[in-house]
Amino acid sequence: MPEFVYFITELALAAKKSGLDRSDRMPEQSGLFLAKIIRPIYNIVFDEWYDEVGIDKDSGRDKQILKADLRSFLPPSIANYDDWNELFLDPERLVAGIILEDQRPLFDLPHEDRFAALANVDWEVSLLAAATKTHREVHSLWGVFASTHRIWLLHSVLFCCGLCFVVQAPPSPDDNLLQGSSFLVRFAAVGLLVPAHGLLWAFARSETNSPKMCGCSCEGALRTLAFAFLWMLPLATYVGVRYADMQPEGSKALGPMNVEEFLVLHFAVSIAGLLSQLLAPARSQDKLWRLTSVPCKQRTLRYLFWFVLLCVKMFVSMVIFRAVLEETVALDLTTPGRQAVTEIQQLWRSASWGADVLLWLLLWSMSFFLFVADTGVWYQAGCTILGVACILKQRKRLACERATSKIPERFSQKVFTFSASGGAMRHSRAEHFSSFFPAMWDRIIDHMHQEDKCTGDTARGKSFGVRPPNAAAAASAGAEGAGTPSEHTSIVSVCCSPVMEEGIETMSEGSLLKLPDLFNREGILSIGTNGLLVPRRPSNMEMKWRLNSLARCLGMPMPKPFRAPYIPGITVLIPHFQEDILVTKQELYSGRENTVPLIDWIKARYPDEFAAFQTRMESHPDWGGSASPRPCDWATYTDQQWEMISMWASMRLQTLWRTVAGMCMYYSVLQCHFEAQVDESSAFAAGDIWDPADCFTCLVSMQQYKTFSAVQLHQTNRMFDAFPSSFKVAFIDWNDKNITAEADGVHERQRRRYFSCLIDRDCSMRSDGRRAPKLRIELPGYPILGDGKSDNQNHAIPFMRGAFCQCIDSNQGAYFEQMLLLPCVLGEFRERLRSSSGRTGTTGGMRQIIGFPEHITSDIGSIGDFAAGSEVAFGTILQRSYAMLGARMHYGHPDLMQKCYMMQQGGVSKATKTLNLSEDIFAGMDFTLRGNGRTIKHCEYFHLAKGRDLGFNSVLGFFCKLSSGAGEQIITRQMFRLGQIFSLPECLTFYYAHVGYYVTQAFVSYSLPLMVFTWLIVLSSDCEGAYRAFENCPEQPASTTMARLLGTWFSWLMVMFLLITSFPLLFELALERNFKDAVLRVGKQFLTCSPLHYIFQAKIIGFYVMNELRYGGAQYVATGRGLPTERRDFVGKGA
């Protein structure tokens, strides 16, 4: 609740004397500020949701127990963090709502006395849900409609307009038909959607808005009445149109007005009402902050994107509409609109007329259902085209050049911008690059060699040959970890001013440097043969991707880097719960497996890397000699060798060690930048002052560190020994209650006191193998009140250092060459405007969330490849389009954020139980809602690695969590308010980029059974063969007609669903690699039945989204991301 923090801070700054001093405090006693102010508020929050926090007898862990009626979802009457936070945001409600125990308002006291009086506030009354609730999270379609009403209105209007265009003119214009006598009269009925939608939306809004928010001011009430009058006008004018249309030609319907004049009036008020509902539906209570203004070019692009997309959609839909109309004629169904009013009055009681009308409504309702369902598919196709165009614009000439040959020049210009000392290399092509680059490039290749991405021979062929005197010792020091940071020799000591001619560089000391073939310009022969005659590319696919990715990144626009030692501070936050730290020998190979051991799977997946690892280990002193056991004879390896094999395997699985090893490269990268381009005029440039740990902290929030096993503690201590001093661990500690618990206000239904602690490598070791905390902050109570991850992140925020934070999951990794771009990435946060005094202005670009793509490394097996392909498309081409269209949010990883602004909104993620199951995206929605210059940007020149689920059960379990989270997300206040205050293009993009994707998947999954149901209804109403002489039967049987209609209906939808969903991956792979690789991978997915997987996935999504809206039950699903090497039953067995 950040607004509460602002509130007590303001009172504390104005207070003359706090009155909360406790000089006689006992060692285990809480401070008065915590005991008398913070903890009473925490107890109110806890009592709102929970019964108690018990202790699990087996594990000793805490076990929170929700109230019995809250275990499926939080009812709309229950208050949450946002409700209480908004109480302190509204001055009027705050003044009236904060009541002292003697029933006096707090604000009756003088301003300087209010802080001391906080201990006497009756928080139970002040924070009562009935008084603080501002938005009701209604689990029904009314809650969905309140947030997404503009989506349904737009589709309804487009659908009705399409119907009006395809419906033929009446056979006899003189008849008084229900649909009207002309096209314009028929088209005027579309205006009735305005009052119908207005009534539905008003009811949905009253269901979701609290009575406190409905009690608007007089100005707001008048505005509401004005809109209600505007929305009801089309109903009155339509009555006038129909009355005038029924009059004889040439007569005046009502006074001087005829039907044409009524039509003009009707269309005017209908369009005005429609525009007000589509473009300006927000009320004053929806706009708590002013949204960030959008440049005119971007706004124009967004409107143009949706205009073109909807035009294409309508063009295709018109074909479907005509097909449906033709089939209704072929079925000889009664069409109500084409009958006279008098005829309907005579026939409406007959069974045949009612059956025909029912079938007619069913067919067109099904058409509307499919019309809404395919918009998400068209949106995905549009995002693919926009994403390709955007990246081609960024890369410019990169698409038609060999970018790897430009790496030296571009790296020197964009990354080593300030490395002027030592001179520049002069090449025969008259292109310059820094003399520090050869040593840095050799370090990049050496990292790849230590990670076993290449052999020693390949590394020598790809490097300049800069080898410092103690290079062998440095390589040996880092050999064990295969990714563990090692201390390399300073690059300054080996950089001189070489002159390179004809591919050879001559060092001033007389040594020679060769230009790697990778950087040579290609001839026509090499280009034409794709390198077959001139081998240049590494055989390892990941190394190839990394080199190409670096070349692509350097060819994109990027800001000027920060210069050492002025690099701002950054903290990488990694939440950890039960994920593996390191894989053990027992997990890799136990000798008792019924299936293939896990180590065999990994070796088969990375055969060249395992061979390089064995070759490298043969020269390692701890390996045990030069002769290695046979690769598959795992029982012959010693325990020491298994430790090294486990480390190697951990760097290829989704382990915490791999994540921390990758992120701690920031430390060595900052040291490299300091050595290469330090500002020597700065007092901080002295070697005894500069420390990369002052700029970088890798903070792992280990929620369960207190209950770690001996193996987990040993692995954690190994991390402290292996990684730099910037690696730290935050965890939740506890003590049993003591005699002061009641006086300190500790909740009576909690059995422990809780503390947020920080440890690092310098902390002393206790007898139980745990480290004594360096910092220990007492918490008001049990901190995990949400679904776990969000609270685990937020409790560690006090230990974050620096101005920026990066949220990383424990299934990620990093690459050294990408980490070198960190100073450029931080340059994205530079202020854009400066005042005349030279200081940064208040309207600059600091208020940003910067998102980056990820390299998915878990494409193992068919299911893993499907999941990896979806993640590749989402993290690159789709997020690129979302950012352009104004709907990219925060997705947790690997976004870089300004820490201060995230703390202003309550943390890096939301933590309300069940409601914020998809915790990360709410940080982005709150960030967007707060506006005032805040923007979310997506950059393409920086990558991290990421693993995804690999097994069928884990992939579907992951989508169960996402779908349930989307079902909760759609009814939240953030979704509701963004749905009102966004401009129409941004509203459409935001919907289809997030919850609309899951709703579309649900529509697609339900479309087939609905169409089959429609088919059966039509077939059951067909003429029976024995009585055809007595019935008015159509020429063709209903089965033939419906087969043709279903072929038109469903074939295009399924083709679009299967093909367009693969377009993002196809085009992204074509851009990253080449079109051949893209076609081969997508074709392989189709051959391995990826459509069946995606259909199954759509069914899962549809089931869980709808069930969440009806019954609730969203909860975190621990899928596990290990290799699926076990054989399990398709249907799980009960206990």
Side-chain angles (χ1 to χ4, degrees), residues 11-26:
L11 296 188
L13 292 174
K16 292 187 295 187
K17 184 178 180 181
S18 68
L20 298 177
D21 298 329
R22 176 176 274 182
S23 57
D24 58 343
R25 176 185 173 189
M26 297 175 62

Side-chain angles (χ1 to χ4, degrees), residues 1061-1072:
T1061 51
S1062 64
F1063 278 3
L1065 177 63
L1066 177 68
F1067 284 96
E1068 183 59 32
L1069 291 177
L1071 290 170
E1072 288 186 0

Side-chain angles (χ1 to χ4, degrees), residues 276-350:
S276 68
Q277 292 176 349
L278 284 177
L279 303 181
R283 301 291 180 266
S284 58
Q285 60 265 32
D286 300 332
K287 302 177 182 179
L288 300 183
W289 297 275
R290 183 180 179 182
L291 283 183
T292 301
S293 60
V294 180
C296 183
K297 288 185 178 180
Q298 290 188 14
R299 182 64 55 84
T300 304
L301 172 66
R302 294 168 186 177
Y303 273 99
L304 182 62
F305 172 86
W306 277 104
F307 176 78
V308 173
L309 187 145
L310 292 176
C311 286
V312 174
K313 170 188 169 65
M314 284 300 298
F315 177 79
V316 176
S317 298
M318 294 295 285
V319 178
I320 311 300
F321 293 162
R322 289 191 179 94
V324 176
L325 181 64
E326 291 171 0
E327 301 309 327
T328 57
V329 175
L331 290 171
D332 199 19
L333 296 180
T334 299
T335 306
R338 300 172 64 82
Q339 292 180 309
V341 176
T342 55
E343 185 179 0
I344 294 175
Q345 291 175 348
Q346 297 173 1
L347 297 177
W348 72 274
R349 293 185 179 88
S350 65

Side-chain angles (χ1 to χ4, degrees), residues 103-140:
Q103 303 304 310
R104 288 187 302 159
L106 173 67
F107 283 83
D108 284 356
L109 300 177
H111 188 46
E112 60 272 13
D113 296 334
R114 293 171 188 167
F115 181 77
L118 286 177
N120 300 319
V121 171
D122 188 345
W123 293 111
E124 187 173 356
V125 173
S126 302
L127 300 182
L128 189 66
T132 57
K133 193 70 180 170
T134 55
H135 180 83
R136 302 175 71 249
E137 293 82 13
V138 181
H139 283 75
S140 72

Side-chain angles (χ1 to χ4, degrees), residues 175-225:
D175 293 340
N176 187 14
L177 301 182
L178 182 64
Q179 69 180 16
S181 60
S182 65
F183 170 77
L184 290 178
V185 174
R186 184 166 68 248
F187 196 77
V190 179
L192 296 179
L193 291 173
V194 174
H197 174 268
L199 290 174
L200 293 174
W201 182 42
F203 182 79
R205 193 178 180 96
S206 67
E207 282 287 294
T208 55
N209 279 356
S210 170
K212 288 283 181 183
M213 301 301 292
C214 293
C216 305
S217 62
C218 181
E219 180 182 353
L222 291 176
R223 185 174 183 271
T224 301
L225 289 175

Side-chain angles (χ1 to χ4, degrees), residues 26-30 39 735-744 746 750-753 755 778:
M26 297 175 62
E28 293 298 326
Q29 194 170 5
S30 304
R39 189 166 277 144
N735 290 338
D736 292 333
K737 283 185 178 180
N738 54 18
I739 58 175
T740 65
E742 184 176 354
D744 289 341
V746 178
Q750 294 185 10
R751 306 180 189 180
R752 293 166 169 168
R753 291 176 182 261
F755 304 86
E778 185 175 4

Side-chain angles (χ1 to χ4, degrees), residues 1066-1095:
L1066 177 68
F1067 284 96
E1068 183 59 32
L1069 291 177
L1071 290 170
E1072 288 186 0
R1073 301 178 184 179
N1074 55 66
F1075 192 72
K1076 174 186 173 183
D1077 290 346
V1079 172
L1080 287 177
R1081 180 169 178 182
V1082 174
K1084 178 184 175 183
Q1085 289 189 355
F1086 274 93
L1087 290 176
T1088 52
C1089 300
S1090 63
L1092 295 180
H1093 171 77
Y1094 291 129
I1095 291 172

